[in-house]
Amino acid sequence: MLTEISIRYKYVYIYIGIFGRVINKKLFIMKDAVLIGSGIMSSTVGVLVKKLMPEAKIAIYEKLENVASESSYSWNNAGTGHSAFCELNYTPEQKDGSINIEKALQIASSFEISRQFWSYLKQQKFLPEEALFIKSVPHMSFVWGEKNISYLKRRHEAMIKYALFEDMKYSEDYDEIAQWVPMMMKNRDKSERFGVTKMDAGTDVNFDVITKGIINYLNKHEGFELHVKHEVKSLKKQPDGTWKLKIRNNKTGEIVTEHSKFVFIGAGGGSLPLLQKSGIKEGKGYGGFPVSGKFMRCLNPEIIELHKAKVYGKAAAGAPPMSMPHLDERRIDGKESLLFGPYAGMSTKFLKSGSFWDLIKSLRLHNIKPMLAVARNEFGLIKYLIGQVMQSKKDRLKYLNLYFPGAKEEDWELYTAGQRVQVMKKDKEKGGVLKLGTEIIHSEDGSIAALLGASPGASTAVSTGIEVLTKCFPEQMASKEWKNRIKEMIPTYGESLIDNAELCRKTRKETAKILGLEEDVMKQKEVFKAESITV
């Protein structure tokens, strides 16, 4: 009799154990947010969610061994704090000769929001004091030819009407330009004409340092999990509106299952395939065209000392929007360098760590037509890319010499930076268009969102993160509680830095002080005063 009762209790305990694990899975393992990718975008969204919902259970899944190893990694990007000071593709010329600066205003104000957020992170010690993630570097535009000079002058006149750009200098004076960029003016004929703008408020940013700082902060809090070497293989919406993700542990080969109320796909070039796997209707009609970026890099300190700016020119005919030539001062891991590029390369990979089959696998019935339309309408792009791939060392050096006359091959090495996926989307008139910048795609119920595209993505990550939450958590974002929490991190939230000139000036000055940018500008001015530059 006792034996029979013991056996019955044994089965009851087994049943309770199994049932308990099921309950545990539903009540305790269900995540509030799963973020795919561990770059600047996912980390920014992650910390915003954690600050707005302190009790939230959040997980980040990264397929590589380390966080911020793809596009956010410092050597995979030029580090430009994109604020539209120097990027000419953000200010297109209209048919009537006017300059459209709408996008430039949007990007500049978004970068000021990023500066506020990073200032908050630094003040709250989310980022270690020794983390050198941002420095002042003048942003300049440099053009030649009467048509281009006329364009740049009109651009300058249109932009300085706003506080965001009011400190922008314009010059056609040879000697003044030679003071700004001596290396670029050396060996040039004084009869040549140039148009140049200069903004001392420009910056150089290492986005991987910010990313690691944020994730280190999140790691100290309960309810946060970071899983590296874990690749999301599938994601499927459940009847209750949540998402079920199947994830492979790339170290052990084990398949694990995750459940989440909200999913954010911030995997850079890897976002499009995951968006397609989600099956949401909003993702239909999107395609991606991968472009590999290559740069010439100089580590010679004697040359580096002669160039203290990020200088952007005009893109070549047929070049993709992200391919404006630029010669940049860079500081990575405390060491100075110069970059020139990008030289475009053709690759079918969506990530540097991706597969050559990525492009082929992304083709669907719903995106083939838009992609073919882009190929037809943007034939100049295809011609440009083929030309770039066929370039010799001599050709690349010749292009560098347009910006740095007298550059020697032995001082420069070619390296491959990050992989970018240019967004292509359906269009009623053209069939398909090439999309400039980044684009947020989200489901109707806000349970999933994905970020596609490239520059100026990292620089405007904070504004993008807020936009993602606004689209996916509209009621909460409209609440007084969430608004107040956001204003703690971003004091100007809800106000316009475009229209409110005084607020813009005040905000830029405050963040410059917190981030140590004022000191950098003063050092630069002292260097220019002390040096006697012969051109």
Side-chain angles (χ1 to χ4, degrees):
M1 184 69 176
L2 288 173
T3 304
E4 185 176 329
I5 291 172
S6 299
I7 291 172
R8 285 178 183 175
Y9 272 112
K10 181 180 178 181
Y11 284 115
V12 168
Y13 284 132
I14 291 172
Y15 175 78
I16 290 173
I18 294 172
F19 183 74
R21 280 194 291 273
V22 172
I23 293 295
N24 184 59
K25 187 173 185 179
K26 286 290 183 183
L27 295 182
F28 299 102
I29 298 183
M30 172 70 72
K31 297 295 187 297
D32 293 289
V34 164
L35 315 173
I36 306 174
S38 68
I40 187 68
M41 272 313 313
S42 287
S43 62
T44 299
V45 171
V47 76
L48 286 171
V49 170
K50 196 64 179 173
K51 295 302 292 183
L52 294 171
M53 297 187 288
E55 303 303 317
K57 295 177 177 63
I58 304 168
I60 290 181
Y61 284 93
E62 167 59 55
K63 77 171 188 174
L64 299 179
E65 186 174 0
N66 298 304
V67 302
S69 295
E70 274 280 353
S71 296
S72 298
Y73 177 56
S74 289
W75 282 118
N76 282 346
N77 59 73
T80 304
H82 285 292
S83 38
F85 296 156
C86 56
E87 305 92 331
L88 302 181
N89 60 327
Y90 298 147
T91 52
E93 183 175 6
Q94 306 300 290
K95 290 181 180 179
D96 63 359
S98 63
I99 309 299
N100 185 342
I101 66 168
E102 185 177 337
K103 191 169 186 67
L105 288 167
Q106 176 193 342
I107 291 171
S109 60
S110 292
F111 188 67
E112 293 300 323
I113 289 171
S114 291
R115 282 176 50 148
Q116 289 179 68
F117 185 67
W118 298 338
S119 296
Y120 169 81
L121 295 181
K122 188 173 180 180
Q123 286 181 312
Q124 296 297 313
K125 303 191 185 304
F126 293 6
L127 301 175
E129 278 295 322
E130 65 275 12
L132 303 175
F133 64 88
I134 188 169
K135 67 172 286 190
S136 286
V137 174
H139 283 194
M140 300 173 61
S141 298
F142 186 102
V143 300
W144 56 86
E146 294 305 317
K147 185 178 179 181
N148 290 336
I149 292 172
S150 172
Y151 157 78
L152 189 65
K153 189 173 183 178
R154 282 177 283 125
R155 176 184 185 267
H156 175 255
E157 291 169 354
M159 296 179 82
I160 58 173
K161 295 175 184 177
Y162 294 86
L164 286 163
F165 307 113
E166 65 185 1
D167 295 327
M168 183 182 289
K169 300 171 186 175
Y170 176 82
S171 182
E172 295 177 20
D173 182 85
Y174 188 98
D175 293 329
E176 184 174 32
I177 297 170
Q179 288 291 321
W180 292 349
V181 279
M183 188 178 75
M184 293 180 67
M185 298 301 287
K186 193 175 182 179
N187 300 324
R188 292 189 190 271
D189 191 325
K190 283 204 171 187
S191 64
E192 290 186 73
R193 292 194 65 233
F194 303 94
V196 179
T197 57
K198 180 174 182 275
M199 273 289 285
D200 289 323
T203 53
D204 176 61
V205 185
N206 290 334
F207 295 103
D208 53 354
V209 178
I210 300 172
T211 301
K212 290 172 183 176
I214 291 173
I215 290 179
N216 284 337
Y217 163 78
L218 289 171
N219 256 331
K220 296 175 183 176
H221 291 73
E222 287 188 16
F224 176 77
E225 300 171 8
L226 170 66
H227 302 275
V228 295
K229 289 190 175 181
H230 279 72
E231 184 175 0
V232 176
K233 303 303 291 183
S234 69
L235 55 167
K236 186 176 181 180
K237 193 170 186 180
Q238 303 300 291
D240 62 357
T242 62
W243 287 87
K244 179 180 179 181
L245 299 88
K246 287 190 176 180
I247 304 153
R248 183 177 68 195
N249 183 325
N250 285 338
K251 188 175 182 180
T252 66
E254 178 189 3
I255 299 294
V256 297
T257 301
E258 184 71 275
H259 294 265
S260 182
K261 299 173 186 175
F262 171 67
V263 174
F264 175 68
I265 306 173
S271 291
L272 178 61
L274 289 168
L275 174 64
Q276 292 174 335
K277 288 179 180 180
S278 74
I280 62 171
K281 63 182 180 181
E282 292 81 5
K284 306 294 183 185
Y286 281 91
F289 188 82
V291 179
S292 174
K294 297 177 183 292
F295 283 88
M296 298 284 278
R297 173 170 56 192
C298 176
L299 302 176
N300 185 334
E302 292 181 7
I303 295 173
I304 295 167
E305 190 60 32
L306 293 174
H307 187 76
K308 300 295 180 182
K310 288 181 180 286
V311 183
Y312 276 57
K314 289 208 77 172
M322 68 181 86
S323 293
M324 297 166 292
H326 45 101
L327 180 59
D328 299 331
E329 177 187 355
R330 207 61 181 93
R331 182 182 64 186
I332 298 173
D333 296 330
K335 296 181 180 179
E336 305 289 334
S337 61
L338 295 181
L339 300 182
F340 178 75
Y343 300 89
M346 292 182 70
S347 171
T348 53
K349 290 183 177 183
F350 280 175
L351 294 166
K352 283 184 77 171
S353 59
S355 164
F356 287 109
W357 293 100
D358 286 343
L359 177 59
I360 301 299
K361 287 181 178 179
S362 74
L363 298 178
R364 299 287 189 277
L365 289 175
H366 60 74
N367 67 12
I368 288 179
K369 185 177 178 181
M371 292 175 75
L372 289 175
V374 170
R376 181 185 68 246
N377 300 332
E378 303 287 345
F379 182 73
L381 170 60
I382 297 173
K383 184 179 178 182
Y384 167 81
L385 290 174
I386 293 173
Q388 288 279 294
V389 172
M390 300 298 289
Q391 278 188 328
S392 63
K393 286 184 180 179
K394 187 177 179 180
D395 293 328
R396 286 191 288 267
L397 189 65
K398 186 178 179 181
Y399 193 36
L400 170 60
N401 268 271
L402 291 175
Y403 289 83
F404 174 18
K408 298 177 181 178
E409 186 179 330
E410 58 263 29
D411 292 321
W412 298 80
E413 61 182 8
L414 184 71
Y415 85 99
T416 301
Q419 195 78 354
R420 303 290 185 266
V421 178
Q422 195 79 33
V423 177
M424 294 181 281
K425 59 187 289 190
K426 57 187 176 183
D427 181 80
K428 290 182 179 180
E429 294 181 6
K430 298 182 179 180
V433 292
L434 204 61
K435 173 72 177 179
L436 173 63
T438 52
E439 185 139 341
I440 299 168
I441 295 95
H442 65 99
S443 62
E444 189 176 358
D445 65 356
S447 64
I448 189 169
L451 185 68
L452 303 182
S455 179
S459 299
T460 58
V462 182
S463 293
T464 302
I466 290 172
E467 187 178 351
V468 167
L469 297 181
T470 301
K471 291 176 182 295
C472 298
F473 299 87
E475 292 182 11
Q476 295 94 322
M477 286 293 283
S479 70
K480 187 176 181 180
E481 181 184 5
W482 277 35
K483 285 181 179 179
N484 288 340
R485 288 184 180 179
I486 293 174
K487 283 188 77 70
E488 288 177 16
M489 300 179 278
I490 305 164
T492 66
Y493 178 69
E495 301 178 76
S496 174
L497 293 174
I498 298 172
D499 301 325
N500 192 330
E502 283 305 314
L503 182 63
C504 176
R505 296 183 189 110
K506 178 186 174 185
T507 300
R508 183 173 285 172
K509 186 175 181 180
E510 288 176 349
T511 58
K513 185 176 181 180
I514 295 168
L515 297 173
L517 301 178
E518 283 183 333
E519 297 172 11
D520 286 345
V521 171
M522 291 306 297
K523 285 178 184 177
Q524 288 167 7
K525 289 180 179 178
E526 289 303 317
V527 167
F528 279 117
K529 285 180 183 177
E531 288 185 352
S532 176
I533 301 169
T534 304
V535 178

